[in-house]
Each structure stands twice: as structure tokens, then as C-alpha cells.
Amino acid sequence: MLFYLITRRQAFHVKSPNPDESLSVIDTRDVIVGLRGRSGGERRKECVGEENWVDSRTIYIGHKEPPPGTEAFIQQRFPDNRIVSSKYTFWNFIPKNMFEQFRRVANFYFLIIFLVQLIIDTPTSPITSGLPLFFVITVTAIKQVGDVVFVKENETFPCDLILLSTSRDEGVCYVTTASLDGESSHKTYFAVQDTKAYNTEQEVDSIHATIECEQPQPDLYKFVGRINIYMDNEPVARPLGSENLLLRGATLKNTEYIYAVAIYTGMETKMALNYQSKTQKRSAVEKSMNAYLVVYLFILISKAFVNTVLKYVWQADPNRDEPWYNDRTESERQRHIVIRAFTDFLAFMVLFNYIIPVSMYVTVEMQKFLGSYFIMWDDEMFDEELGERAVVNTSDLNEELGQVEYVFTDKTGTLTENNMEFIECCVDGHVYVPHVILNGQEHEELFFRALCLCHTVQVKEEETVDGIKQGIHQGKSTSFYISSSPDEVALVEGMKRLGFTYLRLKDSHMEILNREDEIERFELLEVLTFDSVRRRMSVIVRSSSGQLYLFCKGADSSIFPRVISGKVEQVKARVEHNAVEGLRTLCVAYRLLSPEQYQEVCHLLSGAKLALQDRDKRLAEAYDIIEKDLILLGAYRCGGQVGGGTRLQEKAADTIESLHKAGMKVWVLTGDKMETAAATCYASKLFHRNTQILELTTKRTEEQSLHDVLFDLSRTVLRQHGGMTRDTFSGLSGDCTDYGLIIDGATLSAVMRPPQEDSNSGNYKEIFLEICRNCSAVLCCRMAPLQKAQIVKLIKASKEHPITLAIGDGANDVSMILEAHVGVGIMGKEGRQAVRNSDYAIPKFKHLKKMLLVHGHYYYIRISELVQYFFYKNVCFIFPQFLYQFFCGFSQQPLYDTAYLTLYNISFTSLPILLYSLIEQHINMDILKKDPSLYRDIAKNSLLRWPIFIYWTILGVYDAIVMFFGAYFLFDNTTFTSNGQMFGNWTFGTLVFTVLVFTVTFKLALDTHYWTWINHFVIWGSLIFFVVFSLLWGGIIWPFLNYQRMYYVFMQMLSSGPAWLSIILLITAGLLPDVLKKVIWRALWPTTTERIQNADKLYKGHLSEFTPLASLQSKAGSQRRGSGGQRNVPNPRRSEPFSKKTMFTRWQRTPDYCTFTPLLRFADGARNSRQGYAHGGQTSV
Amino acid sequence: MMASSYNAKDEDGHITVTGPGGGTLRSKKPENTAFKQQRLPAWQPILTAGTVLPAFFIIGLIFIPIGIGLYVTSNNIKEFEVDYTGVDMSSPCFNCSQNFSWNSTTPCTCTIPFFLEQPYESNVFMYYGLSNFYQNHRRYVKSRDDSQLNGDMTSLKEPSKECEPYAYHDNKPIAPCGAIANSMFNDTLELFYNDPNGTKVQIPLTNIGIAWWTDKHVKFKNPGAGEANQNLTAVFQGTTKPLNWRRPVYELDAAANNNGFINEDFIVWMRTAALPTFRKLYRIIKSPSNGMMPTMPRGNYTLEVVYNYPVRSFEGRKRMILSTISWMGGKNPFLGIAYITVGSVCFFLGVVLLIIHHKCGNRNNSADISN
């Protein structure tokens, strides 16, 4: 990890980008060449491509003067090479933290409060609110860099580098980017061809070249630049791509050393840019939290305002304002009334500011961070095969997992296995499977060579590498085929079994061992890489006989239009046959190139490759021109399983079924053909036998106009809709028809097109959404990656603003993963891009079930209680203080001691709720898994809706009133002690505070359904801590305090009998209504969750022979629950008919049984066999 | 109270499978502990009507007797109150209250006769009560220097800023400083029993034991306490008395153990009251040692007030209260009533829950199970 930087000639003639920084020289044996970076934005005319280069930079290697003919350069400052991976540094902590925090409504407020406390004379000390504002500060090491860098094996690259030369002859080096994207496989990087020979220090120094490249941008896999190498003052331009760019953070492997030029440093490196560019996702809970916050802010301001006004009304009488016993100081008297009033207002704000809990944010952050470990720790979400466990990239969204309404899933690799195996090929309509004797037709030979050559598979020798690995030779497990696509590995493997073995790429020659055990060599001239838009790739090779071939393989849809001859019909028939079986079929074609044509191709490609602007676009254009006039050779297919259809991932169908039952809509978005995708959808139970399929495909829109098709479909769907409403209400409907929609990419883009000038097109989007809403499952096939994101965006933006989840494994899913509220990556075989960009990553699709139904559910329950409880306990805390102002002349006298004010949220009441929010389980996780419909109970942010929020607030106000007025009447003009002595205001406050701490803690205890020893420890522990602290705090005269107001106050209070009695009374009175509400609601309008809880308990009671309870409950008559229906119940979740209605509108296909059946099933299961139940819990481990 | 079921889910005997590449596999495999798998054994109580209603009955059954006990006790406490503010023309203290001036040298005295209808047994506690006096005003509450009161010499000479504007007078530090000390209650109250035979017997009043023991012995200390032969007058040299005081702090009482900062009247006053209407313990009338006679027999009494303390400017009231005390303190019917109320409510709710439980409580379960 050390970078040795030494200038060659003079003593450290080093100019670091930042002149203030000194360089540390460690070892003179390791040499680096002179360092200086310069760049300019000048326009150069002699080079290829006449783009506008505003957005590029130029680097002069070895800080040599630019050769004559170039204009004066403008020095560009590079950022120093310091990467701060922590959120804050010592210096930017205050401003940056503020900026970060101010984005939240709350934090601006916290700062104001803090400042107010510092400035004006306030009832509480600034420490009280300043204390929670400390965060850990870290600064990472400061690293230095020059421009030519020498890196040895196993070192990490200090910045983004262009590889000049390596210790290996071929000019390649191997790099692992495990720390960047988690891919531990070795990747090959290439040195610039013209400089790869310069591999000593002197030679590197003699390189005379400039590098032009784009300004830094965050995409790790994209880099565009070119190097101009001056040979005898004649510049030679060479393209630079991501294969030449070594990224900061990656580690050099298997290569002794390299020389490279720094191009992006410090915060401009791609790694650093990636940290910043990830947009933060905010959860629905956080949104509710902020909404509540605004409400409380409003309450707070009105409280302060009301108090200020009342204060001045009350003070109108000078004898109240300044009675003889309580004079102001002279300076206070002279203050202007407006300033005084304003100061009073601020002081009230400070006094009541705890109603908006700073600590809630800290606790929520901790809950999210710590809570996310349970996902990572989950044994059931560990995959033995891959050796991977679930990964949490963003803990901010844990609770969002419990709120998902739409699941967008990729097909290949997500729903289906991506264990590719070469199954068969079809040449000119003849089908071959591995290990058959071939009959040596001309096309056949060419076909197999094409397959052997047209790929980007690398042969890896030695070392075990993670990822895709296949032994080339039996028994010789040291060589592997490596590719970013499992298809290609399967293909090459399959070829081997057909007798053609791809050996290696050596000196730009691909070597093939043919059936006669002869080595054939083909010179690899160009690779037209695969991309998901083109959906094909090509290579241009020169055979040993000098013949130039272009081999192209790709999806049928991208090949057929470019084919001019060959047995298209036969191949097409085969392809379609395969598609029905759900297999991926690729077509192979070729084209012979004449030397002239090849020259033209070269010219086209190099022109495009050297472009700095729009290189991708230009390349695509060039490819488009080159890949034409093909001759079809045949097709081959790879699949998950020999013989049958595509193998679904383990439990994929079960998972989808569960998600459906949980009320989620599952959409499959795939690039595959419709038939293939539809087959998978049936297999994975996305579509059922009785699902009515609605098609919105090109085939249909060709016959009818899109307009008509859409209206047709919507009419179909809505008719059913109407019928279902009645049925649902009568409760008679059995299984009503549900709809599945199939749409393809082309039609989708037609639908998405903004309304055209002609009026009748109307807004298709709305109609489309309407149809989708009424379909239980949607299949989108033939989707481009960007279209996937578009779909997600469309749903996100629809008027219900549903929470979306996107899951996928490949690079083509990244866009939708980033777009969806929650992005889940599958640790598949197509690289780590999906995982890296996701919020959560799981090894297999089946793990989604537990993640949503169990973890998501728990997190949501936990955090909603956390949020509500926090507001509640602070209302309880502050409202008495508000009431006290009416009895102390609105003088901002705090009711509680400073220590209590500070510690209430930090230590007396913080741990129980934090622990609750980490380990609460209102229902056993096995039941949650068994009964997905429970997920509906928390849908649509149901626990953070306004009625519930208002309930908690009212409860808080009630408790506050009980506590304050209880104490008030008890204290009213009487003595509490048997020795006649009187208590003062601090005892009064302490009594209220004691009741408060006990009440809010007991309230939480009543809400806890899952009492582990930790809960016992923390709940009772924090109460004991409060008592012990109070005893200590009042126990001695604290020398560092300038007041001793609490001295013996707590003890005196405890020594009084009536104080004990009133504490008990007030706690009881405070808790009474909540208990009552809980019990009555549970008895009269139980939620599904509550019924399951009852059933669970009952069933356990039977088993443990704990019969009294059971018999008590089974005695009840089977009264109809009519009573519930007639009452006007505030909570919509509970009232039976209402809930049916809401469920209906939210979950269009919710059949009536959804609230009952699962329970029945559960109860049945419970009654019938305990073993079955227990077994179910265990087998899923 | 709550129905409970102990859910002891032990870790299911999980066999760690070592697949290929066991090294990385094992390191990534999550540990199968009960905590990490969220399967800690737990007690899972559920609040249902059936489980809660016994609790309601029990609370009711406990609270109602306690409440009755408290109420009876409170009713047995005797309390007598005299308002001697002198608002009415008819009041004996009217003149004193009218002619009040801080500078007057001659004390104004008034005599209020009253009649006790019941004899007061055992110790009788004498309070003074003030109304509309905001001892809990923020500016007032903090206007003190606890280090000065604790005998700190530095604070004696340099009182805390909190004491402003009662910290210095004539460039001399005020001891004790602050608004609280400055406004110390300084009426003198004396009680006389008018014997049926005409003689006026003064009732002995004790001023020891009216302040918290810890306040008197720990929190409040005279400066230089502990030194041999301390002379309070000398110790307070260089300080000045609070503006409204007639005597300096070292002349509050003749007795050495009740003088200076540890004067109990002073300590009592320094404990600021919670509410604007408050009472403070003034004197204790000890029961006679023979125990046969009531401490204060039924009859006519006279309260003699040296009227020093002005309250009419802020519409305050002054009262003298005589009260006996039980184990639960002074007269306070509220606690008893509150207990009876909460107890009855609980009992009533218990009945309601019983009905609910019987009518609907089992419906769900039984229906579900029978299906």
C-alpha cells in the first residue's frame, strides 16, 4: 500500500498537484519517473476527430514540454490525492455535517435551538442539546501521487492510472477489483501497445506522449481517452479504453510490476466519484417521520407563541411583571420590548424543543444500521452453493422492505437458473447435440470455428478464482475459461465436447485444437463487443490462409434482419421451437471480408475508437455498418438443463406465489422473447392455468391500432372489476379471474411515447396503468435495459405512488435497480454490477421471500413503533413543562432538573426502545413465512398513518395531563411528609419525572410481544438506572456544579408515603386507557395479525396442557362479528367491511378469502399436526 | 396477569456443510446463534380481554380500600387557617397592610383572635401560606448562589452573576445574595391561648426541625464552619445584608446552631415552592410530654403578627395555618378520592371487559379453530 515516488534526476524535483504537500520518500530502490501533471483544454487540429474538447483533459507524461506545434498549455490544478472515505473530516465536519443535516427538516431546527441556547439566556444549558450532536470523525491517510507511478504486485493503485507497461511481455497485467465491486476474479488489463515495451525506468522516462481523456465521471466500466505518442515528433494516436484504465482501489495481481500514468486523482477518481454519485433513497417511513416532524414543529411554534403572548398579557400588570421580590437587572430593563418578546419566544422554543427529539434521529440511524445485521446474519439467506450471504448496502431502506407493492424481476439468472450448458446447435436446419459424429459439411466446419472464435472468453491458468470456472482438461483443473457471461463459457465448453477446443489467445492469435488434434491459428483483428442494445457481438479474424472473416453471433432478432443468405427458414423454425421451451437461442452468421473491405472497417473503427465525445454512439454506428450482409450459419442454444425446459431457480415459484399472497404485484421484465418468457412465467406460477392473458404485443398492434387494443383491454379488465366489487362485498365470490398482461418492448415504447399532436391518441399511459393495476401479473418481454427503468419509473409515478422493488442479477438490470425504491441484486453469474448498485443483495431469488415477508415486516413494525413511541414519549415529557408555564408566570422555568432534561432521551428511555426496535417480533417468523397475507396488514404504511399518529399524540397529551395535574393536586397546599416539612418545586418536577419515566417505559413494555432476556435486562435495567442515577445525583454536593438544587430531593421524595402512592396511582392512570384500547380493539375489531397471535397462543396452550386459558377461550359462542360492522371505528384497518373495501381498491385482485383463509389454514395446521408446523419452520433453514 | 407461553426455540441442530472452497465458505457463513438468527427464547405475552380483566379487578380491589383509607385519614386531620393579609377594612391587620413602608423603623403589630373548635392532639404544625407569590418564577428560582450558601469563602466575597441584581450593594457583596434570600418572609407570628379564666398563655413554638435535615447539615453551611471559635460577625465582615432585611444574616437567631446560613427559617424559605400558592413550615408546637392534654385544646386563641412582609402590591395573601399530621402528611383528600376513582374505574372496566370477553372475545379463536 505504499507508493514510492522518487524523481529521477535532481533531488526531489517533484511537483505534486498540491504544492503545500511534501513527499515522503521511502526507498530509493524503487524508482519512479519525474512527475508533473498538466492539462489543457486547447483545441488540437492535427488529430483525428474534430470534436469540441471542452470536456477533456490532457496529461503530459513525464512533464515533458509539449512538442512544437502545440499551443501553450494552461495549467490545470488536479485535486490532491486525498480520498476521504469517511463522511466527515475534521475540517469539513461542521459545514458539511450541517449541509447534510439541513437536508432534513429537523436538523436545521436543531442547529437553531443550539445557537439560541448559546446566544440568549435560556432555561436550559446549551450542553443539553449540544451533547447529542457528536459524531465520529475520521480522516483517512493522505496519499501522494505523481504522474508516472510504479506499482508492485499486491499493491493497490493509488489513483486512476493508464497502464503503460508491465513486467509481462504481452503487456497485460492482472487486477482484482474485489474492493471496488466485489468481483474477486482476476481481470486482465492491457498496456498501450506502443509503450508496452518500455519497461525499465529509463525507458519509461523516454516516453514522449500526451494523454487526452474525458473529464472524470463515475461509471467504473466506461473510459474514453487517447494517447498521442510522439515518435520523432510525429504523433501517433492510440485509443484508450477501460481496458487500459487501472482503477484506484484495485489490486495488482500476478504481475511483478507496472508503470502507469495517473490521470484522475483524489476526489476525481472513479471510486471517489462513485461514493458521491449514489443518490440517496429515502424510505416512506422517513417521509412520514418528516411529516410528523412538521406537525410537531408547528405545535412547538404555536406553543411558544401562545406562551409568549400569554406572558405579556399576564405581565401587563407591573406588579406581576416585576414584583418587589423579583426585580430585573438594569440591563434587562433597558432592553426593548420587541427584543424582549422575541427572546422570550426563543426561550420558550428552547424549553419545549425536546418535543422534537434529536435523539430520535440518532436512534433511528442506529436501529437501521444495527438492524441490518440481522439480514446479513440470517442463516436461511445464506447460499451453500455460492458461499454467499445476503449483503446490505443501504441500511436506510430496511423498513421499506415491508412496504413493497410492486416487484419487478428480471428473468434470466433471477427467476431461472443461469447455469448455462450448451445443449444443441442447429446448422442449416440440422440439429446437433454434443458428442455426435459430424458429417463435415462446409458450413458445419465454419459454424464450429465461428463459435470457437466469436467470444471473449479468457483462459485462465493456475490459481483458484471465484466466479465462473470450468476445467478445460479433465483432471487438469488448473485452467479455466473465464468470461463475464456464463453463456460464452457454456458455448466454448460445448464446442470442446463437439471436438473443437479453444486453447488460448497468444500474441493476438487465437488457437483452436480441432477434431484432428491440429492446432489452428487465427489472428484476432477486431472485437466488436457485445452490448445489450445491439444484442450481438462480432469478431474479425484472419485465418492462416489469409482469409478474413467476420463472425457474428447474437439474438435471433438482431441477426435475422442482417442476414442476406443462408437457410433462414429452417433455422428460424428451430429458434421458435426452442423459444417455446424457454431456452435462450443465439444465431451465428458470418461474412467474408475482402482486404479492401477490411481496410474500410479498420478505418471506421479506429475513427470511432479515438473519439473522445460520443464514442459509444460512434462505435455503435460503425458496428452497424460493419455487421451487415451476413450469411446465416446456424443457431445454438444454451440452457439450464438438458432435455427439459429452463430450470427455474429453487423455490422461485413458491416465492412468487408468496409475494402474490402478500399482496404484491410481480412483474417480469426480460429481454427474452415472448414465448420463452411466457413459458417461464407459467412455470414460476406468475401466470396460473386460469389466468386470462391479455396481450399487448406488436403482433396485436399490427392488426389493430394501439388505441383500440388498449381500450379493448381496459374494457375487459374493468368489466371484471365491476363484477368483482359486488362479489367481494357479498362475500360469495370464489376465485375470480385474474389477469396477466404481456407487453413487449416495442409496444411499450409506443405506449410511453408522449401524446402526439393528433388528439385521439390521448394519454395511453393512463389507460395502460389502469390495465396494469387490474392485472395480478405482468410480463414485459423484449425489454431494453433502459425500458426496464422506464417501467419502474412509470409505476413509481402513478398516482398511488406505490413502493417498488426491482430485483435482478445482470448489468442490464442496474438501471431498474437504481430506479426502484428498493433495489435488490442477485449474486448471479453475470458479474457484480447489479449487486454493486443494489441496496440489498441476496444469493438467490428465493431469499426475497424471507427478506420481505419476515425481515421487511419486522423492520417496518419495529421502526414504526420506534417513530411513534419517540414522539409519544417526548409529548409526555414536554407537555407537563408547557402546563407548568401557566403556574410559573410564563417565566420559562423548567419543570425538571437539567440532568433529567438532558438524560431523558439519552439514557433513561433510549435503550428500551432501541432494543425493542431491534428484536421485537410480534409474530413468530415461521408464521410470517407461512402466511404471506400478514404482509397486507402493514401495507401502505399502515402503522404510520395519521389516525394512529394522532392516537399516540393524544395518548401522550393524556399521560402528560395525568402526570402534571395529578402532581399538582397532590402538591396543592399540603405537606407530603410525616414531619410536616414541605417540598419545593424540584421535588414537584422530580415526582412528575419519575412518573413519566416509569409510564413511558411500562407503555413500551406493554407493547413488547417478544420478551427475551435482553428486553428484561434493558427495560428493568433502565428503570433501575434511573433510580440509581437519581439517588447518586441527589446524593452528594457536586463540586463542579454551581447549583445544588437536586440535593436529596429524590431521597426526600422516596421517604414520603404519599409520594409513593401517588406515583403508583399516576402510572396506573396513565397506562389505563392504552391497555383498555388495546384489549377492546383486539376483542372487537382484531386485525389479521392479532387473530394470528391469538391462534398461535391458543394452539401452544393446547400443546403445553395449559388448559385453563384454552378452555376459557373455547367457551365462547360463535357470535357473528356484526357488532364491529355497525360501529364507526376510527381505525380503518380494523373495521371489517371497510377494510375489505380498502383492500379491494388497493389490491385489486384481493379475493375475499385473503383475510380468512391463511388463518384457517394455519389453525388447521396447528390443530392437525404440531410436527408439521414445527417441521415447516425447520426445513426452511 | 398476562397469559404467557414460553417459546423456547433452541438452535436447531444445524450441521455446517463444508462445500468446495470451504475456507471462504465458512467465513461467510453466518453464525448460527440464537441471537443472530433472531430466535432467542422469549416470553410472548398478549394483552387480551381474558388476560387483562383479572388485573383490572385486582387493581380495583386494591385501590378502592387504599383510597378509602387515605380519605378517612385525610378527613381525620385537623387544619385551621387564618388569613391575616388585612385586605378588608374590618381586618385587624388592615392598618399595617395599608401603611406599610420598607423604611419604617417601628414594627407594625396586629392581633387576630380565633377559635379552635376541636382540640389538636400530638404535634401541631404551624405554617405560613402565601398566595400569588411566584417563588417558581425562573428569574427568581435561579437567583441564588449555592456555593455561597455552602460556606464557600470566594463566593461569599464574589457572589455569582445569577444573583443579579441582588449581588452587590454599595460595592459590597450581599450575603446571602439573590432575590430569594432578599425576599425572605419576615413576619413574626406568635400564638396565645386565651384561658377560659382570662389569662393569655403564650404557646411555645419550636423552630428546630422545620427544615430538611440534609439542608441544614450539608447543603447550607456558614462560611468558615468547622473552624474553632468561629465568630459569625467576623466571618461576614465585608459583606452587606440583603436590601430588604432588617438584620444581617448573622443576627437571625440568638442560638449559634440556628444562625447565619443555617438558620432554619432561612433554609425553609430558600427551598422554592412549586406553585404560586404555597405554604411553608413556620414552627412546630410540640405535644406536651405528659401526653394527657391535647397540644391545643378547644378554645380561643390569639395570633400576634409583627407585620413586616408586604404582599398587597402583587395582590398576594398571607395565611397562618395550623395542622396536625398523619403518616401520609397533611390534609389531602385528593389522593384518597383519586384512588377510589381509579379503583372504581378499573373495577367497572373489568366488568365491561368480562362482558366483551364473553360475548366476542372467543369468537375469533373458536370460529377459527372450529373451521
Side-chain angles (χ1 to χ4, degrees), chain A residues 1075, chain B residues 1-2 49-62 346 350:
Chain A
V1075 172
Chain B
M1 304 240 101
M2 293 180 226
T51 51
V52 168
L53 66 91
F56 274 69
F57 282 122
I58 290 167
I59 291 176
L61 288 179
I62 293 174
C346 278

Side-chain angles (χ1 to χ4, degrees), chain A residues 339-357:
Chain A
I339 296 173
R340 242 168 29 193
F342 185 65
T343 324
D344 275 326
F345 176 73
L346 291 181
F348 277 120
M349 291 276 284
V350 170
L351 187 70
F352 303 142
N353 85 80
Y354 302 91
I355 202 168
I356 294 178

Side-chain angles (χ1 to χ4, degrees), chain A residues 378-409:
Chain A
D378 194 327
D379 211 13
E380 292 173 32
M381 283 160 66
F382 172 77
D383 191 77
E384 302 280 358
E385 196 186 315
L386 292 171
E388 294 280 2
R389 58 160 105 176
V391 172
V392 178
N393 293 331
T394 328
S395 56
D396 282 352
L397 299 169
N398 291 343
E399 70 276 5
E400 205 84 332
L401 294 174
Q403 291 293 304
V404 175
E405 289 164 74
Y406 281 83
V407 174
F408 297 95
T409 164

Side-chain angles (χ1 to χ4, degrees), chain A residues 876-922:
Chain A
C876 288
F877 180 44
I878 287 309
F879 207 70
Q881 247 189 183
F882 170 73
L883 295 173
Y884 191 53
Q885 297 311 306
F886 290 84
F887 300 92
C888 72
F890 306 99
S891 60
Q892 301 118 29
Q893 170 63 22
L895 182 57
Y896 321 110
D897 178 48
T898 312
Y900 286 158
L901 280 174
T902 313
L903 294 179
Y904 176 73
N905 273 320
I906 296 177
S907 52
F908 297 147
T909 60
S910 63
L911 272 185
I913 182 62
L914 177 64
L915 252 293
Y916 174 97
S917 70
L918 286 174
I919 61 179
E920 165 71 356
Q921 295 179 23
H922 59 304

Side-chain angles (χ1 to χ4, degrees), chain A residues 539-551:
Chain A
V539 291
I540 300 175
V541 296
R542 182 186 282 136
S543 70
S544 44
S545 60
Q547 184 63 264
L548 288 160
Y549 292 99
L550 179 135
F551 292 117

Side-chain angles (χ1 to χ4, degrees), chain A residues 121-123 314 319 321-322 324-329 374 376-380 382 384 387-389 855 862 884 887-889 891-893 921 924-926 966 968-970 973-975 977-988 1006 1009-1012 1014 1037 1043-1045 1047-1049 1052 1058 1061 1064-1065 1068 1072 1075-1076 1079-1080 1082-1084 1086 1093-1094 1097-1098 1100 1109 1112-1117 1119 1121 1159 1164 1167 1178 1181, chain B residues 3 7 9 12 14 17 25 27-30 32 35-49 52 56 63 70 102 125 127 132-134 136-142 146 150 164-166 179 183 209-212 214 218-219 244 271-281 309-310 313-314 319 325-332 334-335 338-339 342 345-346 349 353 356-357 359-360 362-366 368-369 371:
Chain A
D121 166 45
T122 56
W314 186 80
N319 272 322
D321 182 21
E322 255 191 286
W324 62 264
Y325 57 86
N326 194 9
D327 281 340
R328 291 172 197 280
T329 57
F374 284 118
M376 291 189 246
W377 282 336
D378 194 327
D379 211 13
E380 292 173 32
F382 172 77
E384 302 280 358
E388 294 280 2
R389 58 160 105 176
H855 289 291
R862 291 167 184 173
Y884 191 53
F887 300 92
C888 72
S891 60
Q892 301 118 29
Q893 170 63 22
Q921 295 179 23
N924 281 334
M925 57 172 92
D926 303 314
Y968 175 82
F969 284 115
L970 293 169
N973 252 332
T974 188
T975 174
T977 54
S978 48
N979 59 10
Q981 295 168 357
M982 296 299 293
F983 289 153
N985 64 324
W986 298 115
T987 316
F988 180 74
L1006 286 173
H1009 292 104
Y1010 196 72
W1011 284 83
T1012 63
I1014 307 174
I1037 298 279
Y1043 57 84
Q1044 308 295 342
R1045 54 173 86 127
Y1047 185 67
Y1048 254 71
V1049 162
Q1052 283 283 351
L1061 285 174
I1064 293 168
L1065 176 80
T1068 313
L1072 208 59
V1075 172
L1076 197 68
V1079 167
I1080 289 184
R1082 178 183 284 276
L1084 297 181
Q1093 284 174 341
N1094 290 350
K1097 196 183 70 180
L1098 190 64
K1100 277 187 183 149
L1109 178 70
L1112 188 74
Q1113 297 203 333
S1114 59
K1115 233 186 284 170
Q1119 305 231 347
R1121 64 185 70 202
L1159 186 78
D1164 276 352
R1167 203 177 34 160
Q1178 281 168 1
V1181 171
Chain B
N7 168 30
K9 242 180 253 148
D12 23 35
H14 196 96
V17 183
L25 206 151
S27 69
K28 280 204 176 178
K29 174 144 181 77
N32 188 10
F35 174 69
K36 288 188 174 179
Q37 301 309 322
Q38 306 195 58
R39 288 182 186 278
L40 281 175
W43 172 53
Q44 293 168 294
I46 300 168
L47 294 180
T48 61
V52 168
F56 274 69
F63 274 26
L70 286 171
W102 284 112
F125 295 81
Y127 298 89
N132 214 8
F133 189 102
Y134 283 82
N136 58 4
H137 195 280
R138 182 161 72 94
R139 203 163 61 226
Y140 187 85
V141 169
K142 66 176 185 176
D146 276 343
N150 196 31
E164 294 288 354
Y166 303 99
S183 58
I210 57 173
W212 292 13
T214 47
V218 187
K219 191 171 163 183
N244 291 349
R271 181 156 296 281
T272 48
L275 299 165
T277 299
F278 60 89
R279 58 169 80 167
K280 282 176 184 288
L281 187 54
Y309 204 72
S313 60
F314 52 85
R319 290 162 297 148
I325 290 238
S326 73
W327 62 272
M328 58 154 282
K331 199 176 184 72
N332 186 11
F334 175 77
L335 191 59
Y339 258 93
V342 172
V345 166
C346 278
L349 290 176
L353 285 183
I356 289 176
H357 179 65
K359 280 203 160 180
C360 336
N362 277 349
R363 182 200 54 213
N364 309 316
N365 300 325
S366 54
D368 296 337
I369 297 290
N371 270 319

Side-chain angles (χ1 to χ4, degrees), chain A residues 729-754:
Chain A
F729 269 96
S730 63
L732 292 168
S733 94
D735 210 352
C736 47
T737 332
D738 48 26
Y739 290 98
L741 177 73
I742 299 180
I743 184 168
D744 62 7
T747 321
L748 182 73
S749 52
V751 169
M752 302 282 274
R753 205 175 299 136

Side-chain angles (χ1 to χ4, degrees), chain A residues 579-593:
Chain A
V580 176
E581 285 183 26
L583 294 167
R584 181 182 287 185
T585 305
L586 292 176
C587 294
V588 183
Y590 80 104
R591 176 187 173 195
L592 279 172
L593 292 172

